[in-house]
Amino acid sequence: MKKRSLLMIPGPIEFEAEVLAALGAPTTSHLAPEFIEAFGQALERLRQVMLSTDGQPFILAGTGTLAMDTVGANLVEPGDRALVVNHGYFGDRYAAILERYGAQITQVGAAVGGRPGVDEVEAALQKGPYKLMTITHVDTSTGVLADVASLAAAGKRQGALVVLDGVCSVAGEELQMSAWGVDVVLTASQKAIGVPPGLALVVAGPQAMAAFKNRRTPVRNYYGDWNNWLPVMEAYEARKPSYFATPAVNLIFALNVSLERILAEGIAPRVERHQAVSRACKAGIRALGVGQVPLKDEFTANTMTAPRYPADVRAADFLAVAAQAGVTLAGGLHPAIRSEYFRIGHMGVVSLGDILATLSAVELALSAGGVKVEPGISLAAAQGAKA
Ligand code: PMP
């Protein structure tokens, strides 16, 4: 029996062999010519993946939370006002981070599974001015997708810097950083970017960099201070060695491989593939008569699905049966409904075959929980999902 199970959680995900091979290759010096080239390419490619024409990329050892944290540390000064568009757990986290750096926070929230309307957000922005607003593109705790284009346009109309938490979206959901007026996009390596956990990724546009350069007070975070990192990123992009703190050499080689593959697939076809896989997964879940956390279909992410357990199905039992069937699924995360739903991640190299395997495991786990399931019904629905 194979020991590996299919990893279908919303990060980390299944990774490609070529990416993992780069991680396992002998480590070079961080000043070696081949590393300088790979780091330089990775910085350029990160900007391309975000569809940014002029953003400044930062690649740091760390996770998505560090990416959120450094953006807060570098853009917020004590007393600044910040608006958090909140549709879940990671919105709460961003508010806590910005507060730590002295921001006065206003939140626009929604019921669990909902999202605040653009009009509501714009009305809140009009009570500003706000130095910045944050949006979670896909809140991984609810599977709710934000309408980033409209929210960013509202932010720009009202003079706020628009910061996007794209940890569960970048390279899986549509995102046009420059065209939509998003000032900062941050993400992490372990989701649709396709690299094991360990890299915090940020692209900051010109207005965000200007706000950073015009700070009146020092950045109150030593490791994350862009004053330390900007010269390093500029040097590597100019194919010159530089040092502030040791870069995660192997992870950056692996990132460069993955970004090359993402760009070779093409951003638009990649987003369409994620949409098709998501449609198949959600059609299968619907065919089982199982509801989902997002309150409306138009709110659902393409990178994940968040089905609600039918009454009487117990989370621990359900996840254990799915794991026995060879598929690792994630439990709930949002504190208000934690035991009421589970999460399926479908990003990166995910295929329709992975979705069919996942739905079979879901069918088995539901049956084991006493739910009457016609075997294969969700697979047929997934295969018949409209392109
Ligand atoms: N934001 C979102 C939307 C996320 O999904 C996550 C991770 N699940 C984070 C931030 C935090 O990232 P990390 O766990 O890599 O620190």
Side-chain angles (χ1 to χ4, degrees):
M1 191 180 143
K2 82 179 164 74
K3 289 211 181 101
R4 283 188 69 221
S5 75
L6 182 64
L7 188 56
M8 295 295 289
I9 67 173
I13 63 164
E14 296 263 321
F15 302 115
E16 286 194 89
E18 290 81 351
V19 171
L20 297 174
L23 273 183
T27 302
T28 68
S29 160
H30 58 293
L31 307 178
E34 60 269 42
F35 178 68
I36 295 171
E37 182 59 27
F39 201 165
Q41 284 181 356
L43 289 161
E44 290 161 359
R45 287 172 174 161
L46 186 60
R47 187 185 291 114
Q48 289 165 26
V49 165
M50 310 275 193
L51 297 188
S52 161
T53 50
D54 49 8
Q56 173 59 53
F58 294 89
I59 299 176
L60 266 58
T63 71
T65 306
L66 182 83
M68 297 168 81
D69 193 40
T70 57
V71 171
N74 285 282
L75 294 185
V76 169
E77 296 187 65
D80 283 345
R81 295 181 68 190
L83 186 91
V84 173
V85 181
N86 188 338
H87 50 99
Y89 179 91
F90 291 102
D92 292 348
R93 176 167 297 186
Y94 226 152
I97 289 171
L98 299 178
E99 201 159 34
R100 191 66 69 89
Y101 292 109
Q104 288 178 33
I105 310 287
T106 302
Q107 300 205 44
V108 188
V112 177
R115 64 183 194 193
V118 177
D119 295 352
E120 231 178 304
V121 172
E122 185 142 18
L125 283 165
Q126 278 164 350
K127 295 191 191 123
Y130 287 94
K131 167 105 168 261
L132 60 87
M133 72 186 281
T134 68
I135 307 164
T136 316
H137 200 166
V138 172
D139 200 301
T140 321
S141 69
T142 55
V144 169
L145 175 75
D147 176 358
V148 176
S150 306
L151 291 170
K156 294 323 298 171
R157 273 195 296 276
Q158 303 303 329
L161 290 172
V162 177
V163 173
L164 184 67
D165 171 351
V167 173
C168 196
S169 70
V170 170
E173 299 284 356
E174 187 187 5
L175 167 63
Q176 300 181 33
M177 181 171 173
S178 295
W180 290 356
V182 179
D183 293 296
V184 181
V185 178
L186 64 93
T187 189
S189 50
Q190 74 270 20
K191 303 201 194 209
I193 289 279
V195 178
L199 291 175
L201 308 171
V202 175
V203 176
Q207 287 183 32
M209 292 311 291
F212 160 68
K213 285 178 178 155
N214 291 333
R215 286 180 68 96
R216 302 171 309 273
T217 58
V219 175
R220 303 193 65 85
N221 177 320
Y222 183 75
Y223 177 80
D225 188 343
W226 288 347
N227 287 301
N228 293 324
W229 289 112
L230 184 58
V232 174
M233 301 302 148
E234 286 175 341
Y236 276 98
E237 201 169 341
R239 306 301 194 265
K240 294 192 187 114
S242 182
Y243 171 77
F244 163 61
T246 309
V249 170
N250 286 56
L251 277 166
I252 289 171
F253 273 119
L255 175 69
N256 192 35
V257 171
S258 196
L259 292 176
E260 183 184 22
R261 296 182 74 96
I262 289 168
L263 293 169
E265 181 176 7
I267 299 296
R270 186 176 175 88
V271 168
E272 279 161 27
R273 179 169 60 76
H274 280 77
Q275 289 168 346
V277 161
S278 175
R279 267 195 304 274
C281 184
K282 288 171 177 64
I285 293 297
R286 265 194 300 272
L288 291 165
V290 169
Q292 294 175 42
V293 174
L295 298 176
K296 289 191 182 166
D297 281 351
E298 67 197 88
F299 296 174
T300 57
N302 296 293
T303 48
M304 61 175 289
T305 301
R308 284 186 170 273
Y309 293 118
D312 299 335
V313 173
R314 289 193 41 233
D317 300 340
F318 177 90
L319 296 173
V321 176
Q324 262 165 23
V327 180
T328 304
L329 300 172
L333 179 62
H334 195 294
I337 53 167
R338 199 184 296 270
S339 62
E340 295 170 20
Y341 73 113
F342 64 100
R343 297 174 300 149
I344 305 169
H346 30 76
M347 42 192 137
V349 288
V350 62
S351 66
L352 179 61
D354 296 331
I355 296 299
L356 298 178
T358 302
L359 290 169
S360 317
V362 168
E363 288 191 2
L364 288 170
L366 287 175
S367 300
V371 179
K372 228 172 136 10
V373 173
E374 185 189 321
I377 190 169
S378 68
L379 281 69
Q383 290 173 72
K386 280 197 292 296

